[in-house]
Amino acid sequence: MERLEGYFGRYGALSREILEFLQRYGKLNPYCKGEYYIDLYSIKNTCCILLDGLVSYETIQQKGKVVIEQLAVPYQYFSGTKHIYSNNGEEVAIRFLRDSTVYEIRNEHLQQGIKSYPELSNMYHILKQHYVDSVKVFLRLQNLERNIRLWYLYTHIPELEHESLTVEQLCSLLGFTNSRQYYKALDYYYSHRK
């Protein structure tokens, strides 16, 4: 809870009442590298804040190939449903790419907290805006020339530069069909980074 309090303290202090609410209804859970939070088409009526680790959103192509659509870095949220006000799942699997620690709360409890505490509503809107900003980066990647995709990713989500993703994972995320494309993008990144 101290990490949550410290993170959101940058945007305004959370009252003792809100912290007690978050402690009462949520919990910290560890997940192992490679473990799935939800499988494709599964539902988990929870909202999570990634405190440390790395999360991938994955789909499966027609030939059975797993494709990474986007990633979540620490202090981003993800949900086991389309969003916290939905009971439907998304056509995506969520997997931990690193050993991770997650603050997890049931959607119904978070909804109750958002109604009851304006500061908690504000915190949720901050998380949601960070998520939207991140999604925009991943959507734009596929429209960029191949050589600049890695540079764009690391420029807009610098935490990922230090995550040591495998070449295969980066190729999947960036839409590269072979590692040669990745190494060309890496050369471009090193020659253009600030």
Side-chain angles (χ1 to χ4, degrees), residues 8 15 32 103 193:
F8 288 108
S15 70
C32 296
Y103 171 79
R193 76 178 186 180

Side-chain angles (χ1 to χ4, degrees), residues 42-134:
S42 294
I43 297 172
K44 215 176 204 184
N45 289 303
T46 52
C47 180
C48 299
I49 300 172
L50 183 66
L51 298 178
D52 48 56
L54 186 65
V55 170
S56 68
Y57 297 73
E58 302 174 349
T59 58
I60 299 177
Q61 290 182 338
Q62 289 179 344
K63 295 180 181 178
K65 181 181 176 186
V66 174
V67 176
I68 297 174
E69 288 188 342
Q70 71 183 67
L71 300 170
V73 296
Y75 297 105
Q76 288 185 324
Y77 91 98
F78 59 93
S79 180
T81 53
K82 285 186 177 180
H83 51 78
I84 69 163
Y85 296 99
S86 172
N87 290 319
N88 298 320
E90 266 192 291
E91 297 176 6
V92 68
I94 297 175
R95 183 168 60 107
F96 296 96
L97 296 181
R98 302 282 172 271
D99 289 345
S100 300
T101 305
V102 171
Y103 171 79
E104 199 168 343
I105 186 169
R106 292 192 54 75
N107 288 343
E108 63 198 42
H109 293 141
L110 184 56
Q111 291 169 21
Q112 173 191 343
I114 287 170
K115 285 181 189 173
S116 302
Y117 305 108
E119 298 99 322
L120 190 56
S121 176
N122 187 46
M123 180 180 90
Y124 174 69
H125 287 294
I126 289 168
L127 287 170
K128 191 170 181 180
Q129 187 59 52
H130 288 176
Y131 174 79
V132 168
D133 292 344
S134 175

Side-chain angles (χ1 to χ4, degrees), residues 65 146 167 171 175-184:
K65 181 181 176 186
R146 282 193 180 112
V167 172
C171 285
F176 296 159
T177 55
N178 59 56
S179 60
R180 207 169 4 156
Q181 292 172 342
Y182 164 75
Y183 288 111
K184 282 184 179 179

Side-chain angles (χ1 to χ4, degrees), residues 160-174:
L160 291 176
E161 182 179 7
H162 307 292
E163 277 299 335
S164 302
L165 291 161
T166 67
V167 172
E168 183 181 3
Q169 289 168 336
L170 283 165
C171 285
S172 176
L173 177 66
L174 298 172

